[in-house]
């Protein structure tokens, strides 16, 4: 979504404004900084489970004069249903845009909520082909589903000189950068690292991340190293 907003800010044939439901999500950096587009934060309260409640969306959605709304809020959030109710009542078209839904032990209940939401949208945008296919499967009646893939600017990466193969006895450093939450697969990475190397090898895995309440790295490493005295070096 950040990349989409950045791209829109560079166009002169559309007028875009952004309405945030909160400063940022728990443990996330989304919306910070908020970019160059006109924007404001709708007052609200945070509920248990990370849900957000923004009653002011009723009037905001009804009063704003726009051609189309793009909703990027979580489909289980009360604010999402406040917004869709107001937009439907005012007869304003809206599109739902998000990642593929993560369905857990409450999947059957969540699927009903999401299918009901999608059925009311004028269109759905999935961030990636997999997300778009998931939305089509959940709501077969949808005829306007598109995919906008994740955008990563590789210009600075391609500007770096190509690395050369190190000498056989030179130390090797592997780098992993990202969120260390379960669905990002840090446990899979560490198990693969364990299978490929031991502490006797001249190799290190450097892990860079940021504070996140779902960061399980310490507990995963503790379990792996406790069961394997030859576990390779991790920094």
């Amino acid at each position: 979504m950040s990349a989409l907003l950045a791209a829109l800010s560079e166009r002169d044939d559309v007028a875009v404004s952004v309405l945030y439901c909160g400063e940022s999500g728990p443990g996330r950096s989304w919306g910070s900084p908020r970019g160059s587009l006109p924007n404001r934060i709708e007052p609200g309260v945070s509920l248990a489970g990370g849900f957000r409640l923004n009653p002011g969306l009723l009037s905001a959605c009804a009063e704003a004069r726009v051609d189309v709304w793009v909703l990027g809020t979580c489909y289980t959030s009360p604010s999402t249903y406040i917004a869709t109710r107001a937009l439907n009542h005012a007869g304003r078209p809206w599109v739902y845009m998000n990642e593929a839904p993560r369905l857990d032990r409450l999947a059957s209940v969540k699927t009903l909520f999401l299918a009901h939401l999608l059925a009311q949208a004028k269109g759905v945008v999935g961030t990636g082909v997999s997300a778009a296919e998931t939305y089509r499967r959940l709501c077969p009646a949808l005829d306007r589903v598109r995919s906008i893939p994740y955008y990563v600017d590789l210009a600075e990466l391609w500007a770096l000189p190509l690395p050369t193969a190190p000498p056989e006895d030179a130390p090797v450093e592997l780098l992993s950068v990202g969120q260390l939450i379960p669905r990002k697969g840090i446990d899979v990475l560490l198990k693969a690292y364990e299978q490929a190397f031991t502490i006797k090898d001249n190799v290190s895995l450097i892990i860079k991340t940021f504070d996140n309440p779902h960061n399980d790295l310490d507990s995963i490493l503790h379990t792996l190293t406790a069961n394997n005295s030859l576990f390779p070096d991790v920094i």
Side-chain angles (χ1 to χ4, degrees):
M1 181 62 77
S2 298
L4 174 63
L5 295 179
L8 288 173
S9 69
E10 298 178 2
R11 299 182 65 97
D12 56 10
D13 56 347
V14 293
V16 182
S17 61
V18 184
L19 182 62
Y20 290 100
C21 291
E23 290 284 351
S24 66
R28 307 298 177 101
S29 59
W30 299 335
S32 301
R34 288 188 260 157
S36 58
L37 288 170
N39 63 80
R40 69 181 177 88
I41 295 180
E42 182 66 32
V45 296
S46 296
L47 307 176
F51 295 130
R52 187 75 176 164
L53 180 62
N54 303 85
L57 285 175
L58 279 172
S59 58
C61 294
E63 296 170 1
R65 296 294 183 264
V66 297
D67 294 314
V68 63
W69 278 78
V70 179
L71 298 180
T73 50
C74 177
Y75 70 93
T76 54
S77 170
S79 290
T80 300
Y81 292 89
I82 291 176
T84 55
R85 180 179 178 83
L87 292 171
N88 291 337
H89 182 75
R92 305 194 187 286
W94 56 274
V95 170
Y96 185 71
M97 177 178 178
N98 220 318
E99 299 176 306
R102 296 184 292 276
L103 302 175
D104 50 23
R105 57 188 176 84
L106 298 176
S108 58
V109 176
K110 289 184 176 181
T111 298
L112 292 175
F113 275 97
L114 182 54
H116 175 71
L117 176 71
L118 298 178
Q120 303 174 64
K122 293 297 183 182
V124 175
V125 177
T127 47
V129 174
S130 177
E133 291 176 348
T134 298
Y135 289 129
R136 287 194 185 96
R137 186 169 60 253
L138 289 174
C139 190
L142 282 171
D143 58 356
R144 295 180 180 177
V145 182
R146 298 292 183 269
S147 166
I148 296 182
Y150 291 102
Y151 172 75
V152 179
D153 188 353
L154 298 177
E156 293 184 1
L157 179 63
W158 296 131
L160 296 173
L162 293 176
T164 58
E168 289 188 7
D169 58 345
V172 175
E173 294 182 339
L174 307 175
L175 175 64
S176 174
V177 181
Q179 297 182 62
L180 302 185
I181 55 179
R183 66 185 178 86
K184 296 296 185 179
I186 186 62
D187 56 332
V188 177
L189 173 64
L190 290 172
K191 286 296 293 183
Y193 182 55
E194 179 184 30
Q195 293 173 13
F197 306 102
T198 73
I199 194 63
K200 297 179 181 180
D201 295 306
N202 198 5
V203 60
S204 298
L205 173 61
I206 303 172
I207 300 176
K208 296 289 187 180
T209 186
F210 51 86
D211 290 337
N212 189 297
H214 304 294
N215 185 336
D216 293 331
L217 176 61
D218 289 341
S219 61
I220 294 174
L221 268 179
H222 177 76
T223 300
L224 291 174
T225 55
N227 295 326
N228 182 1
S229 60
L230 295 179
F231 193 88
D233 185 40
V234 174
I235 301 176

